[in-house]
Amino acid sequence: MEESRFVRTEMLAPQAPPLGEIGWIRWLRDNLFSSWLNGALTLLAGAAVVWLAAGIGPWFANAVWNAGSLAECREILAGAEGACFAVIHDRWLQLLFGFYPDTLYWRPTLAFLLLFVALAPALFPAVPRRLLWFTAVYPGLAYLLLWGGTIWGPLVALAGVPVGVAAFLALRPALPLLAPAAGLVAPVLWWLLAAGPVAGLLAAALPWGLAPVGSAKFGGFMLSIIIGITGIAVSLPLGILLALGRKSDLFLVKTICVGFIEFIRGVPLITLLFTASLLLNYFLPPGTDFDIILRVVIMVTLFAAAYMAEVIRGGLAAIPRGQYEAADSLGLDYWKAMRLIVLPQALKVAIPGIVNTFIGLFKDTTLVVFIGLLDPIGLSTAIRANTDWNGIYWELFLFIGAMFFVFCFLMSRYSMHLERRLKTDHR
Amino acid sequence: MRKSILLGTLAVVGLGGGAASAATLDDVRAAGQIKCGVSTGLAGFSAPDANGVWQGFDVSVCRALGAAIFADPSKVQFVSTTGQTRFTALASGEVDVLARNTTWTLSRDADLKFTFVGVNYYDGQGFIVKKDLGVASARELDGATVCIQTGTTTELNLADFFRVNNMTYEPVPIETNAEALQQYLAGACDAYTTDASGLAASRATFADPENHIILPEIISKEPLGPLVRQGDDEWADIVRWSLNAMIAAEEYGITSANVDELAKGTTNPEINRLLGTEGNLGAMLRLDPAWARNIITMVGNYGEVFNSTIGEATPIGLARGLNAQWTQGGLQYSPPFR
């Protein structure tokens, strides 16, 4: 009997997978309707989205962008529900720059753009290291651009750094133990005693500078960013020092750091702001012109530094004891051990907490509204006090919220990027 | 010259002692501008416009000082103050004068060591209700729910008013004016009570202002006026008479339109003295002889300022009421310029 066999000699062309297994149908099944319960939840959530969109949609769709006042907006809308974004169109420059003279808007804008140039070498390793020089002089440059006045003030203030370095180098051969202290004391003495007269003399001799703009003209997002960025930039090194001080074996250093951190953390920020705005005025001699923005920046920075110190202490605590001992066994002194071994690891661990504090600090700047500074929230009240825009709430708050979201979101994304970059995978 | 922030700090730490507060006028002249404390925003009274220029009824008092001292109403630096910071700002010298709808009370005058130089707006606490509530007088509010801002004198005034009239009410305590308005519009309370000027300003912003009425009863006295630090009578005089000049100008019919005509000399010696064509009143205040004329030309008389900022032609729509001239049945009365 002949054997009947079938052997396929050619390959079958691959068939397309069944419709239910590919494309959007598969995606829907996997992600939205994988079970009866999930299907029901999907439908419910979809209904909620549609319901919200139907409620809010017309408000956005009917938005009026060109009108002179709320009344005009209402006229254009003729009874329909709709946003009156004309207020943003009318006042966005004020919300960004406060009362800064409009012919000088280029100065804060330039300072803001240069901020990224100054930050780039600190944030991204691909940027040439040489740019760090620009980062170092940026505070003085930004001050000059924002407040104007003679160029000698910031220059003389910056000169404190070389003065400190010079004192350190001069004393190091003779008194190696006292040199670091001298390096710290010399610039302070320079700023307290010499800087004022020197700057005055130089300004009288060579009156170079920009048109001065008083702090009373500052407002809006410019003010938030100035307070936020300064607070962020200064609170990180201060926080590191405080955290190290808290873990120090030196009794005095430890006591001072613990006392400072616990005191500042135990007090609400608004209390510190009221102290800056009200109490300091009573302590200081009458007629003293101690800039209100500077007072606020100092208080916000101290507040953030106390929180930062605890976040970084958390990072330090996460480093195994062996790392400290390894550093010691290499013969590194304290500062080298911290700088080369401990802090790079501790800071990496603490990144989410640090950025968390930064974002919190940036949003906390809106509290200055309670001491009469016109940050975006304060300006929204002031804009509403204008008879044209009295009674407008949502549009202003939406704009302010969106602006804050952009900044905080960028910070958050950068921190995620940083964490990925520094990931060394030892778990 | 403007002190930089850094140098300012140094001045604080290093130099210590500061300018004496005894001669504010000299300080102001040296600074080239008047530091004037205003509200961070109160409709009609003080608010920055789209160009950042402060406008309003209280703001005009500061502008009048600029006109009187520098012949330039723009030489004023406005410092925004909140209800909490205003008195410290004045006491510490952060501002030279406070024109911020502040009620003149004995304790503020005596205990806080300020000098109130006059009253630029006689306010009082009132009620707003929806028309369909069918109430025409505050005495008919027995048993009503009333929205009230907590921690203000209005809260105490409200309790007093209902007790005196032997009525009951249910308070709905609320933190801010904006929130209170939302609650009132949403129907959480029958009536909302705060300063009558504030009620009028708020009503103007409603989508349907015609459906709300402000009841005629005013249940408290709130004389609002500019104030200065105690102890510099010369400066207080300048602020006081700058305000009086605006009030007197309206009484004598001097307006920004006809002031130049009248300044050529009139038969009325009071007008001549006010405008500086007769006598030396300006010199007594250490001001230019044309100080009052500058105020009227550059800022306007009291009535003009009232009408252009909060008067019936504006969205705020306040009637003159108590703030009419004494000759018109109001309380605005300037002592003689003699």
Side-chain angles (χ1 to χ4, degrees), chain A residues 332-353:
Chain A
L332 300 176
D333 66 12
Y334 177 79
W335 290 110
K336 277 191 183 136
M338 286 301 147
R339 189 162 57 84
L340 299 172
I341 309 281
V342 176
L343 278 178
Q345 302 182 64
L347 289 179
K348 195 192 88 186
V349 174
I351 287 173

Side-chain angles (χ1 to χ4, degrees), chain B residues 240-283:
Chain B
R240 175 178 299 119
W241 287 96
S242 295
L243 178 61
N244 284 340
M246 294 167 77
I247 297 170
E250 187 189 16
E251 185 186 340
Y252 303 136
I254 313 171
T255 66
S256 53
N258 68 9
V259 61
D260 288 332
E261 189 60 33
L262 294 174
K264 288 173 188 155
T266 64
T267 52
N268 183 338
E270 185 96 4
I271 292 179
N272 293 347
R273 283 194 296 268
L274 177 61
L275 297 183
T277 45
E278 228 177 276
N280 58 347
L281 295 182

Side-chain angles (χ1 to χ4, degrees), chain B residues 6 23 35 39 45 62 85 106-107 140-141 171 199 227 238 243 251 260 263 268 292 299 303 326:
Chain B
L6 287 164
K35 286 175 288 179
S39 159
F45 287 84
C62 306
T85 61
L106 186 145
S107 58
E140 299 167 24
L141 282 174
L199 289 179
L227 55 154
I238 290 170
L243 178 61
E251 185 186 340
D260 288 332
N268 183 338
V299 183
W326 64 286

Side-chain angles (χ1 to χ4, degrees), chain A residues 381-402:
Chain A
T381 314
I383 289 171
R384 217 175 298 123
N386 192 291
T387 44
D388 285 344
W389 301 115
N390 200 338
I392 207 156
Y393 298 93
W394 287 100
E395 293 83 348
L396 286 168
F397 288 137
L398 265 179
F399 178 75
I400 295 166

Side-chain angles (χ1 to χ4, degrees), chain A residues 136-257:
Chain A
V137 298
Y138 177 75
L141 181 64
Y143 173 82
L144 182 68
L145 279 173
L146 291 170
W147 275 271
T150 161
I151 63 168
W152 297 111
L155 274 184
V156 170
L158 278 176
V161 179
V163 165
V165 174
F168 175 73
L169 292 178
L171 275 182
R172 197 165 56 170
L175 299 160
L177 281 177
L178 276 180
L184 287 178
V185 171
V188 173
L189 285 177
W190 166 259
W191 285 323
L192 287 185
L193 302 175
V198 170
L201 281 177
L202 284 169
L206 296 166
W208 297 334
L210 295 167
V213 179
S215 288
K217 301 266 182 206
F218 284 48
F221 275 100
M222 197 176 108
L223 184 65
S224 295
I225 292 171
I226 290 173
I227 299 175
I229 295 288
T230 322
I232 284 171
V234 182
S235 71
L236 182 60
L238 209 56
I240 293 176
L241 287 180
L242 282 169
L244 292 178
R246 191 168 186 163
K247 294 198 71 150
S248 165
D249 296 329
L250 304 171
F251 175 75
L252 200 60
V253 172
K254 184 176 175 150
T255 315
I256 291 175
C257 288

Side-chain angles (χ1 to χ4, degrees), chain B residues 220-235:
Chain B
S220 74
K221 288 188 286 187
E222 311 279 349
L224 311 178
L227 55 154
V228 298
R229 280 181 294 280
Q230 208 163 306
D232 186 357
D233 291 347
E234 186 193 38
W235 177 245

